[in-house]
Amino acid sequence: MKEWIQQVYERIIKLNKQIESFASSTRGRRLRITGDVFWNLALLLFIFLVTAGIFALSVGAGYFASLVKEEPLRSQAEMREQVLNYEETSEIYFADEIYIGKLRTDLERRETSLASVSPLVVNAVLATEDEYFREHNGIVPKAVIRGLLQDVTNSSTQTGGSTLTQQLIKNQILTNEVSYERKAKEILLAMRLEHFMTKEEILEAYLNIIPYGRNSSGNNIAGIATAAEGIFGVDASTLNLAQAAYIAGIPQSPYAYTPFKQTGELKSEEGLQPGINRMKTVLYRMQEAGYITEAEYEEAITYDITQDFREPVPRATDLYPWITAEIESRATKIMAKILAERDGIDPERLDEEENLMEKYSILADRDIRSSGYRIYSTIDKNMYDTMNEAAKNFKYYGHTYTATTTNEDGEEIEIQMPVQVGSVLMENSTGRIISFVGGRDFEIVELNHATQAFRPNGSTMKPLLAYGPAVEYGVIGAGSPVVDVKFSIGGYSPSNYFESEERGLMPAREALAHSQNLTALRLYDSILDRKPATFLEKMGFSKLTDGDYVNLSTAIGGLTVGTSVEENTNAFATFANNGQFIDAYMIDKIVDLDGNVIYEHKAEAAQVFSPETSYIVTDMMRDVLEYGTGTRARSMLKFSSDFAAKTGTTQDYKDVWLVGYNPNITLGVWLGYDQQRTLNTFNTTYFQPSTRVNMLWASLMNAAYDANSELVGTKERFQRPKDVVSASFCGMSGLAPSAACSNAGLVRSDLFNRNVFIPSRIDDSFGSGASLVEIDGKYYQALNSTPAEFISSSGFGLNPTFAKRMLGRLGGDPSKLLPNNSSLGTSSLSGNTFNADSSAPEAVAASLAGNTMNWSKSASNDVVGYRVYNVTGGARALVSSINGSGRRSITVPDGHSYIVVAVDITGRESAPSNPISIAPPEPTEPVEPSDPNNNGNGNEDGGNGQDNGNDGNGSGNEPTDNGDNDNQNNNNGNGNESNDSDVNGDNGDGNISEPEIPDSSQSNE
């Protein structure tokens, strides 16, 4: 202002001297008087105008100062940081740096350098937005005055007066508020910024921040690089003249000139015309400013720009919604801890303090969407595509239910409720999640069922919490006997899949393969005091409650909250990884705009199980696929590999699981409804639920194999550690074989960890010289009152102390330790005490066929045999004692009456049967002794005498002998049956119907 006044003053002095020179001339003297008058008037007017101008300028300056008085004095560093800190959209990638797309955000932007932008774009922008950019110092005064006058006069023509520098200030430091105060601050800061940044820096920043409407995905975009890619599908450095002019014209009215709708579709011809007209205007100004020639201009305005518009491109959230959402979530959690650590806060506190986590999650969400990070995931694109296609084409999920609900507009709509799926495929040695299936349809349910849905894991829990820890503690080896006998404790009365089934003592590997509930529960109870649920903690189960540490049902998957497919799969990978738990992960690294790696995953292994335990449990789970509940999955695989697996089913078939692994990878699969309901419907169409999950697991594994056969179909086998040895043991007790066990043919051999348990204590399961009695094909200990003729002492019985030890604190019926369907095949062995009643047995009915007397079986369940009495003449004489399992018939002589009584284990007899009488033979006519040499009479008499003698012997001896023989034969039969049972007992399991299992109501007595 002072300089301007000084210049005016100097011009007035100079003009005054010229006037004085003219006045001294002859002509001047004549005009002096008149001139003096006009001069003085003019001088007065000029002084007035200058004074008024100075006053007006002073008032204006004062007003300007009042407008910016609250604007802080910003330092160079502060202003540069604010101007250059423009939001950029973060990008996500598959493994191997294959681009997926951008994270969901309100505005997409990607930074570029001025050197990477076509000069045509720069010239188009300068010709259109700021023709004096190279000359001005942040503002163009005449443009400011013109804009001010237009505003004051409310002119219909608004030409605008903002330079690129001013627009940069408005977008990065100030706001779009329409006010004199904002405009005054904009002018002041623009002039200040010109001192802090070069023209090239200002131009580069402008090109990176300015909005350009929408791209071919329908997203809002900003920045020249994003615009070139999103509108034309080219790099900003390769834009031709027409394309450059089109883009340069968009910022004046982004959504009027952008060629795309919100859906990403191209506008109609009519809708495109405003943008094309604007392009021609930009070309005209470029030609007028001398940036292009007349010929270039003519060629460009006739160019068909519509041919260059990009075809609609689906968003990453449309193509890969599960991946996009999952990576966003995981990246936010990672950044929350990074931001907290930058603020000096221990990141671990975020896991413990909900409010702190909420605060930094909000900050991290903003940061992850707007800082232009490149987020690299572990997901293999080909594997993911192939597995999800297989999941999409699977036909046997189950029935889809529907329901009616009301939408936001109050309209009734039908919603689908299909069977959902969750699956995770991970690499054992690194924890890398290679692929996953998040659900059936993201449009129906956005929940990721692979990572975020928590459900009880059913029988897949058994190796994790019962068998694995028991092997680790040295309680069992792979084939050690476990107890499959019912129990009831505290109102909890669990059962196997078949409620009436009790298999008694059975090998652990067999119990796991067939997924017996009772064995797992009893085994878990035996180690519960050691808190085996801590193994789950170490393997990443995140939703454990206090009850999960003490409830027996936890052993069969009865978790309070549940677990995710990711967690369950991760836990099984621990067995595959020699007992080391390596936490599963999906984000490999995060890189900032400058290429700095701000996060990189580092795998940390934690030893949960010993390598020996891992191998033993793995070997046990091989059987699940060989002959257990996973055989259908094995049969459907198109390749062979060393697989181990476990199935799982929860109550009422609300969830079904299968998790399987080989040395390289682990695949977990879950099926169930979001609103829990049984899957056990429409089975004729979709198969049994457990069959469905077998089929789906095999389908997904085959798809993974198709994508990467070398990784998935590895021929490598699990290596047996040197301390895993094969040792012999008694199949009854799991202890070192005794002579009795060997004689009974019950010695077995299986895997043990010699560091913690090798059977050394001698088996104590047998009671030698046991007095046994047979009832309905089973052997029980004889009572003191049991009649001796029905007792056999040729076998061995179970030691009652052993039986009590095996049943443990949960108790149970000892008679069920060796049921008919026991795989140990021990029908001649018993440690059972029969619970006899106090009533005499039910009577039987007798009948006669010739000289053969038959009788019915007593209806009582405690009958050990039958006695046949001769009651001729009213006296009762024992004819024979018949074992209860023998034939119920006897040959008797003529001329006598007989009855049969049933005898129970206590020695009580039933009421007599109906009597059976056999009439004596008719007498023959005597023969006259005409021939003295005829011995007929003598022989006849002798014959009769002999007959009588035989009759007598028959009454006293033959039946008895026969009875003895019968008993002996029965005993021999029992011995042979025992041996046969040893050999063929397994084959007989499937032939025994459930009603043949002994009554479980019998007590330990």
Side-chain angles (χ1 to χ4, degrees):
M1 181 68 71
K2 291 182 179 179
E3 293 178 355
W4 182 78
I5 294 174
Q6 182 65 31
Q7 290 175 355
V8 172
Y9 175 76
E10 291 176 353
R11 289 180 181 178
I12 293 174
I13 295 299
K14 183 177 181 181
L15 180 60
N16 190 49
K17 288 181 179 180
Q18 291 176 345
I19 292 173
E20 288 180 353
S21 176
F22 175 76
S24 61
S25 65
T26 303
R27 185 180 177 185
R29 283 194 295 270
R30 288 197 296 267
L31 297 175
R32 180 181 301 168
I33 297 174
T34 303
D36 285 344
V37 173
F38 282 103
W39 168 247
N40 289 328
L41 290 174
L43 186 59
L44 288 173
L45 179 61
F46 178 76
I47 293 172
F48 174 77
L49 292 174
V50 169
T51 303
I54 294 172
F55 178 77
L57 289 173
S58 299
V59 171
Y63 181 62
F64 182 87
S66 69
L67 293 175
V68 300
K69 66 179 180 179
E70 294 183 0
E71 173 63 24
L73 183 63
R74 301 171 191 264
S75 66
Q76 177 178 349
E78 184 181 3
M79 287 194 70
R80 286 181 64 90
E81 181 181 359
Q82 288 180 299
V83 167
L84 297 177
N85 184 29
Y86 33 83
E87 293 184 355
E88 285 196 56
T89 310
S90 295
E91 298 174 342
I92 55 178
Y93 293 81
F94 287 110
D96 301 321
E97 300 187 2
I98 297 174
Y99 182 70
I100 299 176
K102 300 180 185 296
L103 288 186
R104 292 176 293 183
T105 182
D106 294 333
L107 182 69
E108 283 190 16
R109 187 202 323 265
R110 199 70 197 170
E111 181 184 4
T112 190
S113 65
L114 189 60
S116 300
V117 178
S118 169
L120 294 173
V121 175
V122 174
N123 293 337
V125 169
L126 294 181
T128 308
E129 299 292 332
D130 193 349
E131 59 182 319
Y132 299 112
F133 177 73
R134 301 291 183 187
E135 291 79 32
H136 66 64
N137 294 319
I139 64 170
V140 178
K142 66 177 182 179
V144 173
I145 294 172
R146 182 177 65 244
L148 180 62
L149 291 176
Q150 289 173 348
D151 187 60
V152 170
T153 60
N154 198 25
S155 171
S156 59
T157 302
Q158 297 288 328
T159 59
S162 296
T163 63
L164 297 185
T165 313
Q166 288 176 266
Q167 291 184 55
L168 192 59
I169 293 295
K170 179 179 67 175
N171 280 278
Q172 294 300 96
I173 298 180
L174 302 177
T175 67
N176 288 325
E177 176 191 5
V178 179
S179 67
Y180 289 123
E181 179 180 352
R182 196 271 301 163
K183 194 68 176 179
K185 292 179 179 180
E186 178 186 299
I187 292 171
L188 176 66
L189 293 175
M191 291 190 295
R192 187 168 179 79
L193 186 64
E194 290 276 345
H195 292 289
F196 297 154
M197 296 178 66
T198 66
K199 290 291 185 179
E200 285 69 23
E201 288 176 324
I202 292 172
L203 183 58
E204 180 178 290
Y206 172 85
L207 290 173
N208 277 304
I209 63 97
I210 208 69
Y212 286 101
R214 299 187 186 278
N215 62 12
S216 59
S217 297
N219 295 329
N220 298 330
I221 57 175
I224 189 64
T226 311
E229 173 66 25
I231 296 174
F232 296 116
V234 299
D235 191 87
S237 63
T238 62
L239 290 166
N240 63 35
L241 178 57
Q243 292 169 343
Y246 191 95
I247 288 180
I250 292 177
Q252 186 186 64
S253 183
Y255 300 108
Y257 298 149
T258 186
F260 299 108
K261 300 178 183 178
Q262 188 173 0
T263 60
E265 297 176 314
L266 198 64
K267 290 180 179 178
S268 65
E269 183 177 347
E270 181 181 357
L272 291 173
Q273 199 57 48
I276 295 174
N277 292 339
R278 175 63 178 167
M279 175 193 74
K280 293 178 179 180
T281 299
V282 173
L283 289 169
Y284 172 77
R285 291 182 179 177
M286 291 181 72
Q287 190 265 337
E288 188 179 49
Y291 288 119
I292 58 175
T293 65
E294 181 70 25
E296 289 173 327
Y297 168 73
E298 292 296 337
E299 181 182 359
I301 62 170
T302 59
Y303 184 83
D304 183 9
I305 194 68
T306 60
Q307 68 182 351
D308 292 347
F309 292 136
R310 194 173 185 183
E311 291 294 323
V313 176
R315 300 175 176 92
T317 52
D318 296 330
L319 288 173
Y320 295 102
W322 304 109
I323 292 179
T324 304
E326 188 65 24
I327 291 178
E328 283 180 5
S329 174
R330 291 177 182 247
T332 299
K333 291 178 181 178
I334 290 170
M335 287 307 304
K337 293 193 173 184
I338 291 175
L339 295 177
E341 191 169 20
R342 288 176 183 174
D343 290 344
I345 295 174
D346 183 357
E348 299 302 320
R349 286 180 55 191
L350 272 62
D351 296 328
E352 303 167 359
E353 301 178 34
E354 185 176 346
N355 291 337
L356 200 61
M357 173 60 86
E358 182 180 1
K359 171 187 173 181
Y360 278 98
S361 293
I362 293 172
L363 295 175
D365 182 71
R366 294 173 184 169
D367 183 60
I368 206 71
R369 295 183 190 279
S370 62
S371 295
Y373 296 125
R374 287 178 172 85
I375 305 169
Y376 297 94
S377 77
T378 62
I379 304 299
D380 183 290
K381 182 181 186 301
N382 187 31
M383 188 83 76
Y384 183 89
D385 290 342
T386 306
M387 282 182 59
N388 277 268
E389 185 66 20
K392 179 181 178 182
N393 294 332
F394 187 69
K395 304 299 183 184
Y396 304 103
Y397 285 109
H399 182 67
T400 295
Y401 293 90
T402 58
T404 302
T405 187
T406 304
N407 64 15
E408 296 176 354
D409 299 326
E411 301 172 333
E412 283 195 354
I413 58 172
E414 185 180 81
I415 59 172
Q416 293 186 326
M417 297 179 290
V419 176
Q420 286 293 351
V421 57
S423 178
V424 169
L425 178 72
M426 64 175 290
E427 186 176 54
N428 301 327
S429 61
T430 63
R432 179 170 62 101
I433 297 177
I434 304 170
S435 180
F436 68 89
V437 178
R440 296 282 300 281
D441 188 340
F442 192 81
E443 295 298 321
I444 296 177
V445 179
E446 296 184 4
L447 177 70
N448 190 329
H449 297 87
T451 63
Q452 298 168 15
F454 286 80
R455 301 290 280 263
N457 62 344
S459 293
T460 60
M461 181 67 88
K462 292 171 182 175
L464 303 175
L465 192 58
Y467 293 94
V471 172
E472 182 76 6
Y473 296 145
V475 174
I476 62 170
S480 296
V482 288
V483 178
D484 194 56
V485 174
K486 287 184 178 182
F487 64 88
S488 181
I489 183 171
Y492 181 49
S493 302
S495 66
N496 289 319
Y497 175 78
F498 297 106
E499 289 190 14
S500 61
E501 181 184 58
E502 295 174 89
R503 296 195 186 185
L505 291 167
M506 62 188 304
R509 65 163 62 248
E510 182 181 314
L512 182 58
H514 291 298
S515 201
Q516 300 298 99
N517 290 337
L518 297 174
T519 56
L521 290 165
R522 285 180 173 276
L523 185 60
Y524 182 60
D525 182 69
S526 71
I527 60 175
L528 189 56
D529 59 333
R530 308 191 198 192
K531 297 184 178 179
T534 55
F535 283 99
L536 300 182
E537 281 183 21
K538 296 175 182 178
M539 290 186 288
F541 278 62
S542 62
K543 303 290 185 181
L544 295 175
T545 66
D546 291 342
D548 293 333
Y549 287 82
V550 295
N551 295 336
L552 278 183
S553 60
T554 307
I556 56 174
L559 293 166
T560 305
V561 177
T563 187
S564 67
V565 180
E566 178 185 347
E567 288 182 354
N568 211 24
T569 306
N570 204 175
F572 272 79
T574 304
F575 291 125
N577 203 42
N578 293 316
Q580 289 188 325
F581 173 75
I582 299 178
D583 200 10
Y585 71 101
M586 195 180 294
I587 294 182
D588 189 42
K589 63 181 177 180
I590 300 176
V591 180
D592 69 12
L593 286 169
D594 298 322
N596 300 313
V597 177
I598 63 171
Y599 168 81
E600 186 168 18
H601 179 81
K602 291 181 174 58
E604 296 181 1
Q607 197 74 44
V608 178
F609 295 108
S610 68
E612 292 78 13
T613 293
S614 298
Y615 180 82
I616 290 172
V617 175
T618 294
D619 189 64
M620 293 169 71
M621 286 195 285
R622 283 169 169 154
D623 292 347
V624 173
L625 298 171
E626 291 298 328
Y627 64 83
T629 54
T631 54
R632 185 63 176 267
R634 165 69 82 178
S635 69
M636 290 182 63
L637 287 179
K638 63 169 61 176
F639 64 99
S640 62
S641 190
D642 189 8
F643 276 110
K646 184 69 190 77
T647 59
T649 303
T650 61
Q651 189 73 25
D652 298 326
Y653 275 117
K654 291 179 180 177
D655 309 89
V656 288
W657 296 76
L658 200 158
V659 187
Y661 58 90
N662 67 17
N664 281 357
I665 51 92
T666 300
L667 174 66
V669 178
W670 163 88
L671 291 178
Y673 287 101
D674 280 320
Q675 295 180 349
Q676 293 188 3
R677 65 172 75 200
T678 182
L679 292 163
N680 199 25
T681 56
F682 302 94
N683 291 342
T684 55
T685 302
Y686 300 107
F687 299 99
Q688 290 286 341
S690 54
T691 301
R692 297 177 212 170
V693 77
N694 268 254
M695 296 167 67
L696 180 58
W697 185 88
S699 297
L700 295 180
M701 187 63 81
N702 285 337
Y705 176 79
D706 290 339
N708 190 335
S709 60
E710 184 177 349
L711 175 70
V712 177
T714 177
K715 299 301 181 185
E716 181 185 353
R717 294 188 61 81
F718 292 105
Q719 297 301 307
R720 177 168 159 176
K722 62 181 179 60
D723 287 322
V724 173
V725 297
S726 183
S728 297
F729 60 95
C730 180
M732 298 290 293
S733 63
L735 302 177
S738 62
C741 185
S742 298
N743 292 336
L746 294 175
V747 176
R748 293 176 175 251
S749 180
D750 215 320
L751 301 179
F752 292 88
N753 177 3
R754 65 180 172 190
N755 293 326
V756 294
F757 175 45
I758 290 289
S760 57
R761 186 160 63 92
I762 298 299
D763 167 62
D764 63 349
S765 57
F766 295 91
S768 61
S771 295
L772 305 179
V773 62
E774 185 178 7
I775 300 177
D776 284 337
K778 290 191 63 179
Y779 284 81
Y780 299 89
Q781 292 183 7
L783 306 180
N784 292 333
S785 59
T786 303
E789 70 261 36
F790 301 113
I791 295 176
S792 169
S793 59
S794 61
F796 289 90
L798 290 186
N799 183 340
T801 303
F802 159 78
K804 184 176 182 181
R805 184 179 77 239
M806 294 303 288
L807 292 171
R809 79 175 185 100
L810 298 177
D813 184 355
S815 69
K816 300 299 180 65
L817 285 173
L818 296 171
N820 288 339
N821 62 346
S822 172
S823 62
L824 293 175
T826 54
S827 60
S828 66
L829 300 173
S830 177
N832 306 330
T833 301
F834 193 89
N835 185 22
D837 57 32
S838 58
S839 302
E842 295 291 329
V844 302
S847 61
L848 185 67
N851 280 72
T852 300
M853 179 180 178
N854 302 291
W855 60 91
S856 63
K857 182 180 180 180
S858 173
S860 298
N861 67 350
D862 56 356
V863 172
V864 295
Y866 300 90
R867 288 174 177 154
V868 179
Y869 288 101
N870 186 335
V871 292
T872 304
R876 180 181 288 194
L878 179 66
V879 175
S880 182
S881 296
I882 309 297
N883 189 283
S885 62
R887 67 182 187 274
R888 292 189 301 278
S889 64
I890 187 173
T891 301
V892 291
D894 301 337
H896 300 277
S897 295
Y898 303 93
I899 62 169
V900 180
V901 296
V903 183
D904 68 15
I905 192 171
T906 67
R908 293 186 180 88
E909 290 187 351
S910 69
S913 69
N914 55 299
I916 296 297
S917 297
I918 304 178
E922 293 292 332
T924 60
E925 291 293 331
V927 179
E928 294 182 3
S930 58
D931 186 352
N933 295 323
N934 185 354
N935 295 327
N937 287 339
N939 289 341
E940 182 117 356
D941 292 338
N944 289 338
Q946 184 67 41
D947 283 344
N948 291 335
N950 286 341
D951 286 346
N953 291 337
S955 299
N957 297 326
E958 187 175 342
T960 303
D961 291 340
N962 289 338
D964 290 341
N965 290 336
D966 286 342
N967 286 338
Q968 185 62 47
N969 288 336
N970 285 335
N971 289 336
N972 289 338
N974 293 338
N976 292 333
E977 187 176 343
S978 175
N979 292 335
D980 290 343
S981 182
D982 288 343
V983 176
N984 299 319
D986 288 342
N987 295 333
D989 288 350
N991 298 325
I992 297 174
S993 62
E994 293 301 322
E996 294 180 10
I997 296 177
D999 186 0
S1000 62
S1001 65
Q1002 297 164 0
S1003 73
N1004 292 342
E1005 299 298 316

